[in-house]
Amino acid sequence: MKRIEELIRPNIRSLAPYSSARNEYSGHVAKVFLDANENPYNAPFNRYPDPLQTELKQIVAKAKCVPEESIFLGNGSDEAIDLAYRCFTQPGTDNVVAIEPTYGMYKVCADINDVEYRPVLLDEKFQMNADRLLSACDDNTKLIWICSPNNPTGNNLQREEIEKVLNAFDGIVIVDEAYSDFSKQKPFRLELAKYPNLIVLNTLSKAWGCAAIRLGMAFASKEIIEVFNKVKYPYNINLLTQQQAIEIMKNPYEVEKWVNLLLVERDRMCNGFRELSICRGVYPTDSNFFLAKMDNAQIIYDYLVGEGIIVRNRTRVALCQNCLRITIGTKTENNELIAALRRYKK
């Protein structure tokens, strides 16, 4: 692959980052803060938060088995997705390649950044072909987007195909592992030393039950993380988010319990759907949701909305015609869904 320095967008390469008040005294112990035009009252909310989230990164490093210098924390994974475009692609010139169907924000951020988005369809089993993905690339392809377990399909992509892309592509490969806590596949974040062109995304929104605090993670080489930190806004993670993230990450065994409960419920719900006369099939899943092919997804979706039950209608997504995506809830919530579908009349 090319050196990271060669892959960075030229204006970003020469960018002089904003130096915040909290950055400038880094490495020294301080007790009087008269540098940032803050109000001295109403502690601790009167002070700007740590711009590099040092304490939180120490906990993340331990929980995720990733060195601190390889961690970027963002306002949701969406910030890291957008940063990948802003750091490595030239608007109006470069392009990115992605599997299809997949998480919609990859394309939204491409459109926002005026970067051509090239989707490559998965096969009928929702698996990717590395050769097809690579054949969609040209000299202006800077990023390849892969989501595994994938959204909205739920399944792991074949590891060998992802590795083939990582070894063959000379740009940046982003593997989104938002749902990896529900999967038995070895996460790619543990392979950072092997792949200097790899960025792995993760989040506290799924298994960790913290969607409301909007904390996303990107794991990559120290060089890539330094570029992200150079471009990000100074105080991108607020104090309340940092505090709540520290608290939840102190309780990994509670999260493990949630995951195990959800996996049991997932299997029960998949079996329950297979027994419904209006369900044509349930696709394999490695996530906290599953994709089910229905007789008429739109009509069934509308019926469920009328019953006060909200699922996701994916029928307009490529390869997902007449499919509903079902998130695994509590046992009570799941029972309500199954009961409503059993009452449904064609």
Side-chain angles (χ1 to χ4, degrees), residues 17-42:
Y18 175 77
S19 179
S20 73
R22 292 296 179 260
N23 283 124
E24 292 177 357
Y25 78 91
S26 180
H28 298 275
V29 177
K31 60 181 180 179
V32 177
F33 296 96
L34 304 175
D35 57 340
N37 301 337
E38 300 155 322
N39 187 327
Y41 307 109
N42 195 37

mmCIF file with all atom_site columns, all heavy atoms in Angstrom, residues 17-42:
data_model
loop_
_atom_site.group_PDB
_atom_site.id
_atom_site.type_symbol
_atom_site.label_atom_id
_atom_site.label_alt_id
_atom_site.label_comp_id
_atom_site.label_asym_id
_atom_site.label_entity_id
_atom_site.label_seq_id
_atom_site.pdbx_PDB_ins_code
_atom_site.Cartn_x
_atom_site.Cartn_y
_atom_site.Cartn_z
_atom_site.occupancy
_atom_site.B_iso_or_equiv
_atom_site.pdbx_formal_charge
_atom_site.auth_seq_id
_atom_site.auth_comp_id
_atom_site.auth_asym_id
_atom_site.auth_atom_id
_atom_site.pdbx_PDB_model_num
ATOM 1   N N   . PRO A 1 17 ? -3.346  22.562 12.694 1.00 0.00 ? 17 PRO A N   1
ATOM 2   C CA  . PRO A 1 17 ? -4.545  22.338 13.506 1.00 0.00 ? 17 PRO A CA  1
ATOM 3   C C   . PRO A 1 17 ? -4.741  23.421 14.553 1.00 0.00 ? 17 PRO A C   1
ATOM 4   O O   . PRO A 1 17 ? -3.783  24.081 14.977 1.00 0.00 ? 17 PRO A O   1
ATOM 5   C CB  . PRO A 1 17 ? -4.263  20.983 14.168 1.00 0.00 ? 17 PRO A CB  1
ATOM 6   C CG  . PRO A 1 17 ? -2.789  20.884 14.213 1.00 0.00 ? 17 PRO A CG  1
ATOM 7   C CD  . PRO A 1 17 ? -2.287  21.583 12.977 1.00 0.00 ? 17 PRO A CD  1
ATOM 8   N N   . TYR A 1 18 ? -5.986  23.597 14.957 1.00 0.00 ? 18 TYR A N   1
ATOM 9   C CA  . TYR A 1 18 ? -6.298  24.542 16.032 1.00 0.00 ? 18 TYR A CA  1
ATOM 10  C C   . TYR A 1 18 ? -5.677  24.040 17.331 1.00 0.00 ? 18 TYR A C   1
ATOM 11  O O   . TYR A 1 18 ? -5.784  22.856 17.673 1.00 0.00 ? 18 TYR A O   1
ATOM 12  C CB  . TYR A 1 18 ? -7.809  24.659 16.194 1.00 0.00 ? 18 TYR A CB  1
ATOM 13  C CG  . TYR A 1 18 ? -8.224  25.524 17.362 1.00 0.00 ? 18 TYR A CG  1
ATOM 14  C CD1 . TYR A 1 18 ? -8.174  26.917 17.277 1.00 0.00 ? 18 TYR A CD1 1
ATOM 15  C CD2 . TYR A 1 18 ? -8.662  24.952 18.556 1.00 0.00 ? 18 TYR A CD2 1
ATOM 16  C CE1 . TYR A 1 18 ? -8.556  27.708 18.344 1.00 0.00 ? 18 TYR A CE1 1
ATOM 17  C CE2 . TYR A 1 18 ? -9.041  25.739 19.633 1.00 0.00 ? 18 TYR A CE2 1
ATOM 18  C CZ  . TYR A 1 18 ? -8.990  27.115 19.530 1.00 0.00 ? 18 TYR A CZ  1
ATOM 19  O OH  . TYR A 1 18 ? -9.368  27.889 20.583 1.00 0.00 ? 18 TYR A OH  1
ATOM 20  N N   . SER A 1 19 ? -5.034  24.925 18.031 1.00 0.00 ? 19 SER A N   1
ATOM 21  C CA  . SER A 1 19 ? -4.418  24.570 19.310 1.00 0.00 ? 19 SER A CA  1
ATOM 22  C C   . SER A 1 19 ? -5.301  25.098 20.431 1.00 0.00 ? 19 SER A C   1
ATOM 23  O O   . SER A 1 19 ? -5.394  26.313 20.643 1.00 0.00 ? 19 SER A O   1
ATOM 24  C CB  . SER A 1 19 ? -3.014  25.172 19.411 1.00 0.00 ? 19 SER A CB  1
ATOM 25  O OG  . SER A 1 19 ? -2.427  24.860 20.652 1.00 0.00 ? 19 SER A OG  1
ATOM 26  N N   . SER A 1 20 ? -5.979  24.188 21.130 1.00 0.00 ? 20 SER A N   1
ATOM 27  C CA  . SER A 1 20 ? -6.875  24.599 22.207 1.00 0.00 ? 20 SER A CA  1
ATOM 28  C C   . SER A 1 20 ? -6.088  24.935 23.464 1.00 0.00 ? 20 SER A C   1
ATOM 29  O O   . SER A 1 20 ? -4.938  24.526 23.630 1.00 0.00 ? 20 SER A O   1
ATOM 30  C CB  . SER A 1 20 ? -7.882  23.481 22.513 1.00 0.00 ? 20 SER A CB  1
ATOM 31  O OG  . SER A 1 20 ? -7.233  22.415 23.177 1.00 0.00 ? 20 SER A OG  1
ATOM 32  N N   . ALA A 1 21 ? -6.739  25.668 24.338 1.00 0.00 ? 21 ALA A N   1
ATOM 33  C CA  . ALA A 1 21 ? -6.097  26.046 25.595 1.00 0.00 ? 21 ALA A CA  1
ATOM 34  C C   . ALA A 1 21 ? -5.660  24.818 26.386 1.00 0.00 ? 21 ALA A C   1
ATOM 35  O O   . ALA A 1 21 ? -4.607  24.820 27.021 1.00 0.00 ? 21 ALA A O   1
ATOM 36  C CB  . ALA A 1 21 ? -7.056  26.895 26.421 1.00 0.00 ? 21 ALA A CB  1
ATOM 37  N N   . ARG A 1 22 ? -6.451  23.779 26.336 1.00 0.00 ? 22 ARG A N   1
ATOM 38  C CA  . ARG A 1 22 ? -6.137  22.584 27.114 1.00 0.00 ? 22 ARG A CA  1
ATOM 39  C C   . ARG A 1 22 ? -4.990  21.773 26.514 1.00 0.00 ? 22 ARG A C   1
ATOM 40  O O   . ARG A 1 22 ? -4.349  20.993 27.199 1.00 0.00 ? 22 ARG A O   1
ATOM 41  C CB  . ARG A 1 22 ? -7.381  21.692 27.231 1.00 0.00 ? 22 ARG A CB  1
ATOM 42  C CG  . ARG A 1 22 ? -8.492  22.300 28.071 1.00 0.00 ? 22 ARG A CG  1
ATOM 43  C CD  . ARG A 1 22 ? -8.065  22.492 29.529 1.00 0.00 ? 22 ARG A CD  1
ATOM 44  N NE  . ARG A 1 22 ? -9.138  23.098 30.301 1.00 0.00 ? 22 ARG A NE  1
ATOM 45  C CZ  . ARG A 1 22 ? -9.209  24.386 30.611 1.00 0.00 ? 22 ARG A CZ  1
ATOM 46  N NH1 . ARG A 1 22 ? -8.262  25.211 30.212 1.00 0.00 ? 22 ARG A NH1 1
ATOM 47  N NH2 . ARG A 1 22 ? -10.217 24.855 31.323 1.00 0.00 ? 22 ARG A NH2 1
ATOM 48  N N   . ASN A 1 23 ? -4.726  21.939 25.223 1.00 0.00 ? 23 ASN A N   1
ATOM 49  C CA  . ASN A 1 23 ? -3.608  21.250 24.588 1.00 0.00 ? 23 ASN A CA  1
ATOM 50  C C   . ASN A 1 23 ? -2.264  21.853 24.969 1.00 0.00 ? 23 ASN A C   1
ATOM 51  O O   . ASN A 1 23 ? -1.261  21.145 25.091 1.00 0.00 ? 23 ASN A O   1
ATOM 52  C CB  . ASN A 1 23 ? -3.738  21.293 23.067 1.00 0.00 ? 23 ASN A CB  1
ATOM 53  C CG  . ASN A 1 23 ? -4.764  20.313 22.527 1.00 0.00 ? 23 ASN A CG  1
ATOM 54  O OD1 . ASN A 1 23 ? -5.674  20.704 21.834 1.00 0.00 ? 23 ASN A OD1 1
ATOM 55  N ND2 . ASN A 1 23 ? -4.613  19.043 22.864 1.00 0.00 ? 23 ASN A ND2 1
ATOM 56  N N   . GLU A 1 24 ? -2.236  23.159 25.159 1.00 0.00 ? 24 GLU A N   1
ATOM 57  C CA  . GLU A 1 24 ? -0.967  23.866 25.236 1.00 0.00 ? 24 GLU A CA  1
ATOM 58  C C   . GLU A 1 24 ? -0.175  23.586 26.508 1.00 0.00 ? 24 GLU A C   1
ATOM 59  O O   . GLU A 1 24 ? 1.049   23.693 26.498 1.00 0.00 ? 24 GLU A O   1
ATOM 60  C CB  . GLU A 1 24 ? -1.214  25.367 25.069 1.00 0.00 ? 24 GLU A CB  1
ATOM 61  C CG  . GLU A 1 24 ? -1.682  25.720 23.659 1.00 0.00 ? 24 GLU A CG  1
ATOM 62  C CD  . GLU A 1 24 ? -2.006  27.189 23.489 1.00 0.00 ? 24 GLU A CD  1
ATOM 63  O OE1 . GLU A 1 24 ? -1.924  27.928 24.499 1.00 0.00 ? 24 GLU A OE1 1
ATOM 64  O OE2 . GLU A 1 24 ? -2.346  27.594 22.365 1.00 0.00 ? 24 GLU A OE2 1
ATOM 65  N N   . TYR A 1 25 ? -0.842  23.222 27.589 1.00 0.00 ? 25 TYR A N   1
ATOM 66  C CA  . TYR A 1 25 ? -0.098  22.939 28.824 1.00 0.00 ? 25 TYR A CA  1
ATOM 67  C C   . TYR A 1 25 ? 0.026   21.436 29.066 1.00 0.00 ? 25 TYR A C   1
ATOM 68  O O   . TYR A 1 25 ? 0.469   21.001 30.129 1.00 0.00 ? 25 TYR A O   1
ATOM 69  C CB  . TYR A 1 25 ? -0.774  23.611 30.031 1.00 0.00 ? 25 TYR A CB  1
ATOM 70  C CG  . TYR A 1 25 ? -1.993  22.890 30.559 1.00 0.00 ? 25 TYR A CG  1
ATOM 71  C CD1 . TYR A 1 25 ? -1.867  21.934 31.574 1.00 0.00 ? 25 TYR A CD1 1
ATOM 72  C CD2 . TYR A 1 25 ? -3.244  23.143 30.030 1.00 0.00 ? 25 TYR A CD2 1
ATOM 73  C CE1 . TYR A 1 25 ? -2.985  21.264 32.052 1.00 0.00 ? 25 TYR A CE1 1
ATOM 74  C CE2 . TYR A 1 25 ? -4.360  22.474 30.510 1.00 0.00 ? 25 TYR A CE2 1
ATOM 75  C CZ  . TYR A 1 25 ? -4.223  21.539 31.518 1.00 0.00 ? 25 TYR A CZ  1
ATOM 76  O OH  . TYR A 1 25 ? -5.327  20.878 31.981 1.00 0.00 ? 25 TYR A OH  1
ATOM 77  N N   . SER A 1 26 ? -0.319  20.644 28.075 1.00 0.00 ? 26 SER A N   1
ATOM 78  C CA  . SER A 1 26 ? -0.307  19.195 28.217 1.00 0.00 ? 26 SER A CA  1
ATOM 79  C C   . SER A 1 26 ? 1.034   18.701 28.765 1.00 0.00 ? 26 SER A C   1
ATOM 80  O O   . SER A 1 26 ? 2.107   19.151 28.346 1.00 0.00 ? 26 SER A O   1
ATOM 81  C CB  . SER A 1 26 ? -0.571  18.546 26.856 1.00 0.00 ? 26 SER A CB  1
ATOM 82  O OG  . SER A 1 26 ? -0.562  17.151 26.964 1.00 0.00 ? 26 SER A OG  1
ATOM 83  N N   . GLY A 1 27 ? 0.941   17.799 29.720 1.00 0.00 ? 27 GLY A N   1
ATOM 84  C CA  . GLY A 1 27 ? 2.139   17.238 30.333 1.00 0.00 ? 27 GLY A CA  1
ATOM 85  C C   . GLY A 1 27 ? 2.510   17.890 31.645 1.00 0.00 ? 27 GLY A C   1
ATOM 86  O O   . GLY A 1 27 ? 3.440   17.448 32.325 1.00 0.00 ? 27 GLY A O   1
ATOM 87  N N   . HIS A 1 28 ? 1.800   18.950 32.020 1.00 0.00 ? 28 HIS A N   1
ATOM 88  C CA  . HIS A 1 28 ? 2.073   19.648 33.279 1.00 0.00 ? 28 HIS A CA  1
ATOM 89  C C   . HIS A 1 28 ? 0.860   19.550 34.205 1.00 0.00 ? 28 HIS A C   1
ATOM 90  O O   . HIS A 1 28 ? -0.272  19.464 33.754 1.00 0.00 ? 28 HIS A O   1
ATOM 91  C CB  . HIS A 1 28 ? 2.394   21.120 33.019 1.00 0.00 ? 28 HIS A CB  1
ATOM 92  C CG  . HIS A 1 28 ? 3.613   21.322 32.176 1.00 0.00 ? 28 HIS A CG  1
ATOM 93  N ND1 . HIS A 1 28 ? 4.888   21.344 32.683 1.00 0.00 ? 28 HIS A ND1 1
ATOM 94  C CD2 . HIS A 1 28 ? 3.743   21.485 30.831 1.00 0.00 ? 28 HIS A CD2 1
ATOM 95  C CE1 . HIS A 1 28 ? 5.751   21.528 31.703 1.00 0.00 ? 28 HIS A CE1 1
ATOM 96  N NE2 . HIS A 1 28 ? 5.082   21.615 30.562 1.00 0.00 ? 28 HIS A NE2 1
ATOM 97  N N   . VAL A 1 29 ? 1.125   19.593 35.499 1.00 0.00 ? 29 VAL A N   1
ATOM 98  C CA  . VAL A 1 29 ? 0.052   19.602 36.488 1.00 0.00 ? 29 VAL A CA  1
ATOM 99  C C   . VAL A 1 29 ? -0.371  21.044 36.724 1.00 0.00 ? 29 VAL A C   1
ATOM 100 O O   . VAL A 1 29 ? 0.478   21.924 36.949 1.00 0.00 ? 29 VAL A O   1
ATOM 101 C CB  . VAL A 1 29 ? 0.521   18.957 37.808 1.00 0.00 ? 29 VAL A CB  1
ATOM 102 C CG1 . VAL A 1 29 ? -0.580  19.036 38.857 1.00 0.00 ? 29 VAL A CG1 1
ATOM 103 C CG2 . VAL A 1 29 ? 0.925   17.497 37.577 1.00 0.00 ? 29 VAL A CG2 1
ATOM 104 N N   . ALA A 1 30 ? -1.670  21.303 36.659 1.00 0.00 ? 30 ALA A N   1
ATOM 105 C CA  . ALA A 1 30 ? -2.168  22.669 36.851 1.00 0.00 ? 30 ALA A CA  1
ATOM 106 C C   . ALA A 1 30 ? -3.334  22.670 37.822 1.00 0.00 ? 30 ALA A C   1
ATOM 107 O O   . ALA A 1 30 ? -4.080  21.692 37.924 1.00 0.00 ? 30 ALA A O   1
ATOM 108 C CB  . ALA A 1 30 ? -2.595  23.254 35.514 1.00 0.00 ? 30 ALA A CB  1
ATOM 109 N N   . LYS A 1 31 ? -3.497  23.780 38.554 1.00 0.00 ? 31 LYS A N   1
ATOM 110 C CA  . LYS A 1 31 ? -4.614  23.895 39.496 1.00 0.00 ? 31 LYS A CA  1
ATOM 111 C C   . LYS A 1 31 ? -5.392  25.193 39.316 1.00 0.00 ? 31 LYS A C   1
ATOM 112 O O   . LYS A 1 31 ? -6.509  25.322 39.811 1.00 0.00 ? 31 LYS A O   1
ATOM 113 C CB  . LYS A 1 31 ? -4.114  23.771 40.933 1.00 0.00 ? 31 LYS A CB  1
ATOM 114 C CG  . LYS A 1 31 ? -3.090  24.835 41.334 1.00 0.00 ? 31 LYS A CG  1
ATOM 115 C CD  . LYS A 1 31 ? -2.636  24.620 42.774 1.00 0.00 ? 31 LYS A CD  1
ATOM 116 C CE  . LYS A 1 31 ? -1.618  25.688 43.179 1.00 0.00 ? 31 LYS A CE  1
ATOM 117 N NZ  . LYS A 1 31 ? -1.167  25.510 44.581 1.00 0.00 ? 31 LYS A NZ  1
ATOM 118 N N   . VAL A 1 32 ? -4.806  26.152 38.642 1.00 0.00 ? 32 VAL A N   1
ATOM 119 C CA  . VAL A 1 32 ? -5.482  27.419 38.366 1.00 0.00 ? 32 VAL A CA  1
ATOM 120 C C   . VAL A 1 32 ? -5.610  27.563 36.854 1.00 0.00 ? 32 VAL A C   1
ATOM 121 O O   . VAL A 1 32 ? -4.614  27.570 36.133 1.00 0.00 ? 32 VAL A O   1
ATOM 122 C CB  . VAL A 1 32 ? -4.701  28.624 38.949 1.00 0.00 ? 32 VAL A CB  1
ATOM 123 C CG1 . VAL A 1 32 ? -5.398  29.925 38.578 1.00 0.00 ? 32 VAL A CG1 1
ATOM 124 C CG2 . VAL A 1 32 ? -4.580  28.494 40.460 1.00 0.00 ? 32 VAL A CG2 1
ATOM 125 N N   . PHE A 1 33 ? -6.851  27.667 36.375 1.00 0.00 ? 33 PHE A N   1
ATOM 126 C CA  . PHE A 1 33 ? -7.100  27.725 34.932 1.00 0.00 ? 33 PHE A CA  1
ATOM 127 C C   . PHE A 1 33 ? -7.660  29.097 34.551 1.00 0.00 ? 33 PHE A C   1
ATOM 128 O O   . PHE A 1 33 ? -8.822  29.407 34.811 1.00 0.00 ? 33 PHE A O   1
ATOM 129 C CB  . PHE A 1 33 ? -8.093  26.628 34.524 1.00 0.00 ? 33 PHE A CB  1
ATOM 130 C CG  . PHE A 1 33 ? -7.555  25.239 34.746 1.00 0.00 ? 33 PHE A CG  1
ATOM 131 C CD1 . PHE A 1 33 ? -7.864  24.535 35.902 1.00 0.00 ? 33 PHE A CD1 1
ATOM 132 C CD2 . PHE A 1 33 ? -6.738  24.635 33.805 1.00 0.00 ? 33 PHE A CD2 1
ATOM 133 C CE1 . PHE A 1 33 ? -7.368  23.261 36.119 1.00 0.00 ? 33 PHE A CE1 1
ATOM 134 C CE2 . PHE A 1 33 ? -6.240  23.357 34.003 1.00 0.00 ? 33 PHE A CE2 1
ATOM 135 C CZ  . PHE A 1 33 ? -6.550  22.667 35.165 1.00 0.00 ? 33 PHE A CZ  1
ATOM 136 N N   . LEU A 1 34 ? -6.805  29.907 33.953 1.00 0.00 ? 34 LEU A N   1
ATOM 137 C CA  . LEU A 1 34 ? -7.197  31.253 33.527 1.00 0.00 ? 34 LEU A CA  1
ATOM 138 C C   . LEU A 1 34 ? -6.867  31.444 32.048 1.00 0.00 ? 34 LEU A C   1
ATOM 139 O O   . LEU A 1 34 ? -6.530  32.537 31.611 1.00 0.00 ? 34 LEU A O   1
ATOM 140 C CB  . LEU A 1 34 ? -6.461  32.299 34.377 1.00 0.00 ? 34 LEU A CB  1
ATOM 141 C CG  . LEU A 1 34 ? -6.664  32.176 35.899 1.00 0.00 ? 34 LEU A CG  1
ATOM 142 C CD1 . LEU A 1 34 ? -5.793  33.173 36.645 1.00 0.00 ? 34 LEU A CD1 1
ATOM 143 C CD2 . LEU A 1 34 ? -8.133  32.380 36.257 1.00 0.00 ? 34 LEU A CD2 1
ATOM 144 N N   . ASP A 1 35 ? -6.978  30.354 31.281 1.00 0.00 ? 35 ASP A N   1
ATOM 145 C CA  . ASP A 1 35 ? -6.497  30.364 29.901 1.00 0.00 ? 35 ASP A CA  1
ATOM 146 C C   . ASP A 1 35 ? -7.586  30.272 28.839 1.00 0.00 ? 35 ASP A C   1
ATOM 147 O O   . ASP A 1 35 ? -7.355  30.574 27.676 1.00 0.00 ? 35 ASP A O   1
ATOM 148 C CB  . ASP A 1 35 ? -5.516  29.204 29.682 1.00 0.00 ? 35 ASP A CB  1
ATOM 149 C CG  . ASP A 1 35 ? -6.133  27.854 30.002 1.00 0.00 ? 35 ASP A CG  1
ATOM 150 O OD1 . ASP A 1 35 ? -7.147  27.813 30.731 1.00 0.00 ? 35 ASP A OD1 1
ATOM 151 O OD2 . ASP A 1 35 ? -5.611  26.829 29.521 1.00 0.00 ? 35 ASP A OD2 1
ATOM 152 N N   . ALA A 1 36 ? -8.796  29.819 29.186 1.00 0.00 ? 36 ALA A N   1
ATOM 153 C CA  . ALA A 1 36 ? -9.783  29.473 28.163 1.00 0.00 ? 36 ALA A CA  1
ATOM 154 C C   . ALA A 1 36 ? -11.051 30.322 28.214 1.00 0.00 ? 36 ALA A C   1
ATOM 155 O O   . ALA A 1 36 ? -12.066 29.955 27.617 1.00 0.00 ? 36 ALA A O   1
ATOM 156 C CB  . ALA A 1 36 ? -10.159 27.992 28.290 1.00 0.00 ? 36 ALA A CB  1
ATOM 157 N N   . ASN A 1 37 ? -11.007 31.435 28.913 1.00 0.00 ? 37 ASN A N   1
ATOM 158 C CA  . ASN A 1 37 ? -12.160 32.344 29.000 1.00 0.00 ? 37 ASN A CA  1
ATOM 159 C C   . ASN A 1 37 ? -13.408 31.648 29.532 1.00 0.00 ? 37 ASN A C   1
ATOM 160 O O   . ASN A 1 37 ? -14.527 31.934 29.110 1.00 0.00 ? 37 ASN A O   1
ATOM 161 C CB  . ASN A 1 37 ? -12.456 32.975 27.640 1.00 0.00 ? 37 ASN A CB  1
ATOM 162 C CG  . ASN A 1 37 ? -11.270 33.751 27.098 1.00 0.00 ? 37 ASN A CG  1
ATOM 163 O OD1 . ASN A 1 37 ? -10.407 34.177 27.867 1.00 0.00 ? 37 ASN A OD1 1
ATOM 164 N ND2 . ASN A 1 37 ? -11.210 33.914 25.786 1.00 0.00 ? 37 ASN A ND2 1
ATOM 165 N N   . GLU A 1 38 ? -13.199 30.727 30.474 1.00 0.00 ? 38 GLU A N   1
ATOM 166 C CA  . GLU A 1 38 ? -14.313 30.005 31.080 1.00 0.00 ? 38 GLU A CA  1
ATOM 167 C C   . GLU A 1 38 ? -14.844 30.782 32.287 1.00 0.00 ? 38 GLU A C   1
ATOM 168 O O   . GLU A 1 38 ? -14.144 31.599 32.888 1.00 0.00 ? 38 GLU A O   1
ATOM 169 C CB  . GLU A 1 38 ? -13.847 28.615 31.545 1.00 0.00 ? 38 GLU A CB  1
ATOM 170 C CG  . GLU A 1 38 ? -13.309 27.730 30.428 1.00 0.00 ? 38 GLU A CG  1
ATOM 171 C CD  . GLU A 1 38 ? -12.345 26.683 30.943 1.00 0.00 ? 38 GLU A CD  1
ATOM 172 O OE1 . GLU A 1 38 ? -11.557 26.996 31.860 1.00 0.00 ? 38 GLU A OE1 1
ATOM 173 O OE2 . GLU A 1 38 ? -12.371 25.558 30.414 1.00 0.00 ? 38 GLU A OE2 1
ATOM 174 N N   . ASN A 1 39 ? -16.076 30.503 32.671 1.00 0.00 ? 39 ASN A N   1
ATOM 175 C CA  . ASN A 1 39 ? -16.645 31.014 33.914 1.00 0.00 ? 39 ASN A CA  1
ATOM 176 C C   . ASN A 1 39 ? -16.063 30.187 35.064 1.00 0.00 ? 39 ASN A C   1
ATOM 177 O O   . ASN A 1 39 ? -16.082 28.956 35.004 1.00 0.00 ? 39 ASN A O   1
ATOM 178 C CB  . ASN A 1 39 ? -18.166 30.854 33.850 1.00 0.00 ? 39 ASN A CB  1
ATOM 179 C CG  . ASN A 1 39 ? -18.876 31.493 35.018 1.00 0.00 ? 39 ASN A CG  1
ATOM 180 O OD1 . ASN A 1 39 ? -18.363 31.540 36.135 1.00 0.00 ? 39 ASN A OD1 1
ATOM 181 N ND2 . ASN A 1 39 ? -20.080 31.986 34.769 1.00 0.00 ? 39 ASN A ND2 1
ATOM 182 N N   . PRO A 1 40 ? -15.517 30.796 36.124 1.00 0.00 ? 40 PRO A N   1
ATOM 183 C CA  . PRO A 1 40 ? -14.912 30.013 37.201 1.00 0.00 ? 40 PRO A CA  1
ATOM 184 C C   . PRO A 1 40 ? -15.923 29.299 38.088 1.00 0.00 ? 40 PRO A C   1
ATOM 185 O O   . PRO A 1 40 ? -15.539 28.490 38.938 1.00 0.00 ? 40 PRO A O   1
ATOM 186 C CB  . PRO A 1 40 ? -14.135 31.059 38.000 1.00 0.00 ? 40 PRO A CB  1
ATOM 187 C CG  . PRO A 1 40 ? -14.886 32.330 37.777 1.00 0.00 ? 40 PRO A CG  1
ATOM 188 C CD  . PRO A 1 40 ? -15.378 32.249 36.355 1.00 0.00 ? 40 PRO A CD  1
ATOM 189 N N   . TYR A 1 41 ? -17.233 29.571 37.888 1.00 0.00 ? 41 TYR A N   1
ATOM 190 C CA  . TYR A 1 41 ? -18.267 28.970 38.727 1.00 0.00 ? 41 TYR A CA  1
ATOM 191 C C   . TYR A 1 41 ? -18.991 27.842 37.990 1.00 0.00 ? 41 TYR A C   1
ATOM 192 O O   . TYR A 1 41 ? -18.899 27.713 36.774 1.00 0.00 ? 41 TYR A O   1
ATOM 193 C CB  . TYR A 1 41 ? -19.252 30.047 39.187 1.00 0.00 ? 41 TYR A CB  1
ATOM 194 C CG  . TYR A 1 41 ? -18.571 31.224 39.853 1.00 0.00 ? 41 TYR A CG  1
ATOM 195 C CD1 . TYR A 1 41 ? -18.497 32.465 39.223 1.00 0.00 ? 41 TYR A CD1 1
ATOM 196 C CD2 . TYR A 1 41 ? -17.953 31.079 41.103 1.00 0.00 ? 41 TYR A CD2 1
ATOM 197 C CE1 . TYR A 1 41 ? -17.849 33.529 39.812 1.00 0.00 ? 41 TYR A CE1 1
ATOM 198 C CE2 . TYR A 1 41 ? -17.304 32.147 41.699 1.00 0.00 ? 41 TYR A CE2 1
ATOM 199 C CZ  . TYR A 1 41 ? -17.245 33.371 41.058 1.00 0.00 ? 41 TYR A CZ  1
ATOM 200 O OH  . TYR A 1 41 ? -16.580 34.413 41.643 1.00 0.00 ? 41 TYR A OH  1
ATOM 201 N N   . ASN A 1 42 ? -19.748 27.041 38.784 1.00 0.00 ? 42 ASN A N   1
ATOM 202 C CA  . ASN A 1 42 ? -20.547 25.939 38.257 1.00 0.00 ? 42 ASN A CA  1
ATOM 203 C C   . ASN A 1 42 ? -19.706 24.746 37.832 1.00 0.00 ? 42 ASN A C   1
ATOM 204 O O   . ASN A 1 42 ? -19.956 24.104 36.807 1.00 0.00 ? 42 ASN A O   1
ATOM 205 C CB  . ASN A 1 42 ? -21.425 26.391 37.076 1.00 0.00 ? 42 ASN A CB  1
ATOM 206 C CG  . ASN A 1 42 ? -22.511 25.371 36.768 1.00 0.00 ? 42 ASN A CG  1
ATOM 207 O OD1 . ASN A 1 42 ? -23.074 24.754 37.668 1.00 0.00 ? 42 ASN A OD1 1
ATOM 208 N ND2 . ASN A 1 42 ? -22.801 25.173 35.488 1.00 0.00 ? 42 ASN A ND2 1
#
